[in-house]
Amino acid sequence: MKKESPRRWLGIAYTAPAKPSKARVYIWRKLKELGAEYYHGMAMIPQTPKTLEGVKKLTERMRELGAEVSLLELRFLDPRDEEKVVAQFKRQAANDFRELFLDFARLYEELGPPLDAGEERQRALRRRYGKVKSRDFFNVEGELDFSGGISQLMEDIHLSAGDLYRQFLALFSDKG
């Protein structure tokens, strides 16, 4: 038998009331904001002190909305199963970073360099970056190559992907 994973996960199994539908939508959105992914019908998220606190608060709110909720601590017995879930989290984080990067590139194209970090749209992008980064449980950001999929945008901006990525990093490195 393979060795049990030391990583702990939170599982959120729930049944939301059929009506009003806004309760189901609220629950789904809040779980996604926390970074949960659905795997075999259960919302899952890596367990950290921050995620545990957030999930506990959300489960209380879910009960107030009439949902039946069970909060579980899980460990995978088969590493292959855990690898599938980790891959799902990594894909979502990569997609979130790519969407943010493309939005940044469009803003850069519109405004040109250098970007003034004091403008409202840059502040909104910074907030989004913070949210995306908080859901990057497996450090996907460090593994990404932002040059893929935006070559036409690079031509339109007349910058290399590397130059644009340096601007992206500069905007987000100063969290002021």
Side-chain angles (χ1 to χ4, degrees):
M1 175 130 168
K2 295 183 180 180
K3 187 176 175 186
E4 185 176 290
S5 171
R7 185 180 292 134
R8 294 180 190 267
W9 296 82
L10 296 173
I12 305 98
Y14 67 95
T15 304
K19 299 210 181 202
S21 63
K22 67 181 181 180
R24 285 191 321 278
V25 172
Y26 171 84
I27 292 167
W28 180 83
R29 283 187 180 151
K30 290 300 181 183
L31 285 166
K32 292 307 267 181
E33 280 178 26
L34 288 171
E37 290 290 327
Y38 288 85
Y39 186 70
H40 293 303
M42 180 186 300
M44 295 182 65
I45 190 168
Q47 183 174 334
T48 67
K50 184 178 179 180
T51 60
L52 180 58
E53 179 184 338
V55 169
K56 281 182 174 181
K57 287 179 183 176
L58 178 58
T59 57
E60 286 306 311
R61 178 69 181 122
M62 291 166 72
R63 288 181 181 113
E64 291 170 6
L65 293 170
E68 291 185 33
V69 184
S70 293
L71 177 57
L72 310 161
E73 181 179 76
L74 308 168
R75 284 182 291 176
F76 285 90
L77 298 178
D78 187 336
R80 295 172 296 189
D81 293 330
E82 186 169 30
E83 288 169 13
K84 290 177 190 175
V85 174
V86 168
Q88 184 175 334
F89 274 87
K90 286 183 171 185
R91 275 191 305 276
Q92 184 58 52
N95 288 339
D96 290 347
F97 277 114
R98 284 188 188 101
E99 286 177 21
L100 177 64
F101 185 72
L102 287 171
D103 288 347
F104 171 82
R106 289 180 192 106
L107 180 65
Y108 188 96
E109 180 180 31
E110 184 181 324
L111 300 177
L115 290 175
D116 176 8
E119 299 220 11
E120 182 54 37
R121 287 191 292 181
Q122 285 98 6
R123 285 195 300 272
L125 283 174
R126 280 177 181 260
R127 282 190 300 273
R128 251 180 78 201
Y129 173 75
K131 288 178 182 179
V132 169
K133 191 160 182 63
S134 75
R135 295 186 302 251
D136 183 12
F137 300 108
F138 300 99
N139 195 28
V140 170
E141 181 183 22
E143 302 171 4
L144 289 176
D145 173 9
F146 286 106
S147 62
I150 59 172
S151 57
Q152 181 60 49
L153 189 56
M154 294 302 110
E155 289 178 24
D156 293 344
I157 298 173
H158 306 294
L159 275 181
S160 71
D163 289 338
L164 185 60
Y165 184 58
R166 281 187 284 284
Q167 285 286 327
F168 176 78
L169 290 177
L171 179 64
F172 296 116
S173 66
D174 176 25
K175 301 285 191 245

